[in-house]
Amino acid sequence: MTEWRRPRDFYNAWISAIVTAEPAFVIVDDKQVSEFIHEISDRAFPLILFLHGSHLRHPWNGDHGQILARRLDTMRNLDRFDIVGVQTEQQGEAVRALGFPEANIRLLTGELPESAALSEAPRRRPLNSAVMIANLIALKRVDHPIRAVAELRDRGIDVSLTVLGEGSERGKLEKLIDDLDLGDRVELPGYVTDVSDRLQSASFSMLTSTSEGLPLSMMESMGAGSIPIVYDITYGPRDLIEHGRNGFITPWSDIGALADQIEDFLSLDADRVDDMRRETRKTVERYLPEAGYRRWKEVLEDVTVVNLPDDLGAEPVPTIEAKKLTCVATPQGCRIEIELDQIDPVIAGSLQLVVAGRKLSTFFISNSAQISTRRFGHRIVFTFDVDYAGFSESPDETFDVYLRRAHDLWTAKRRIQTPRRFRAVQAGNGEWYTTKHGNLSVRPRS
């Protein structure tokens, strides 16, 4: 007889009991499950995480910042997965920016159905016809291409736009179309069954979302020979588009720049446009099922199970006493030197410095840049370089500082107790100081 305190513990016990065959793999692409399945420590099967979209609240601000609440526990324990699959190189860079070793990050893109890519030369189509596949929701910002069409009309340029999709923003968008007097230029047919034909009839496509993972709608339009004119969205366009060769990337959220690019596209000669259509079709070939199968096959053949540390249980973890602590400014941030006593050499080689927001979901990890010994080998000195870029969205917030074994559960990280003689240090734009409990913290300054 067994009982569990939480549903997640029951779920993990069930997974461990079911997945007993060898070889076996567990692939997780569900946000909710990924938040806790990494807690399974005693497992023989590789655990693979597939990330769909951005893990950042404001991905358009760069690779650093606050983590989405529904992604927080997953991202904090990222190195407990044997493989982390990302859909774009840009997304991979954002994951690496958290400081986890990149050895387990792999490019495992989504797939485009074979039928979505034309096997013959794209058909002739009106140059000024645009299409957009998007749910009519705030995330997709369908109002931006509508406003771009209005701006082009005011310049004397005729462009038609068809948006394929349905959603809660329909009423607002219909009112916008009426207010801008675009009823003869913009169409919202809702869900349709002839998407492929409509894509092959459109000259170019648009995508103006707040953020994406790897947008299937853009891949489908490119497979149909419809040239993408899109925002510089995180993520997707940079992996798919070579500006001017197979599409165009415009500054994020800049409606005027979007209109300018459409105008420039409409001025191209027919041969140049035909060449671009052929290039869009070639681009998506690497996302067809056979190519995707080969990527997954290669990863699954090479994956090994991470040697996870023993689970320390639910007991509160004690602080680690620093015998000596120095903070020195560097061009990118700060170099922290921590001297510890009686540390097992095996553990020493895996220690990481964790900097985590006290009130925010922001965090990042620094792996030791250097390890040395002092006092006849009884003390070990760890050197960590902290890049202040991690504070880019968090000026004047408080960050607590911890040490953590690689692959440990996030809850097993330990605060660093400062030496008695340690005094607050201003290193560049960061103030490193002792809290009232005697632990190390830092405040980045504006």
Side-chain angles (χ1 to χ4, degrees), residues 355-359 388 391 394-401 424-436 439-446:
V355 183
R358 184 175 296 177
K359 296 181 179 179
Y388 284 174
F391 298 132
S394 315
D396 304 317
E397 296 288 343
T398 298
F399 284 75
D400 295 325
V401 186
V425 177
Q426 188 73 33
N429 291 331
E431 180 191 12
W432 300 79
Y433 69 98
T434 303
T435 68
K436 64 180 181 180
N439 300 322
L440 182 63
S441 292
V442 57
R443 290 193 191 98
R445 298 303 185 189
S446 303

Side-chain angles (χ1 to χ4, degrees), residues 281-300:
R281 187 164 48 89
K282 290 180 183 178
T283 298
V284 299
E285 288 178 356
R286 64 179 183 265
Y287 298 98
L288 295 176
E290 181 61 30
Y293 164 76
R294 289 195 297 268
R295 280 190 290 270
W296 275 96
K297 181 175 183 290
E298 181 180 345
V299 166
L300 296 182

Side-chain angles (χ1 to χ4, degrees), residues 210-247:
T210 300
S211 66
E212 291 280 352
L214 181 66
L216 181 61
S217 62
M218 189 169 75
M219 293 165 63
E220 288 178 333
S221 67
M222 293 177 73
S226 181
I227 296 170
I229 302 178
V230 301
Y231 279 165
D232 190 8
I233 300 166
T234 309
Y235 309 105
R238 292 189 196 178
D239 276 52
L240 289 164
I241 297 174
E242 183 179 331
H243 187 82
R245 185 182 71 85
N246 62 351

Side-chain angles (χ1 to χ4, degrees), residues 14-25:
W14 173 71
I15 288 291
S16 298
I18 289 296
V19 186
T20 57
E22 293 186 11
F25 307 91

Side-chain angles (χ1 to χ4, degrees), residues 5 17 30 43 67-68 83 85 89 96 107 129 160 237 256 291 312 322 331 347 361 369 395 435:
R5 293 185 301 108
D30 178 83
R43 57 178 171 83
I67 308 296
L68 287 166
I83 293 293
E89 293 289 357
R96 293 183 189 98
L107 184 65
S129 60
S160 66
L312 299 179
I347 294 177
S361 59
T435 68

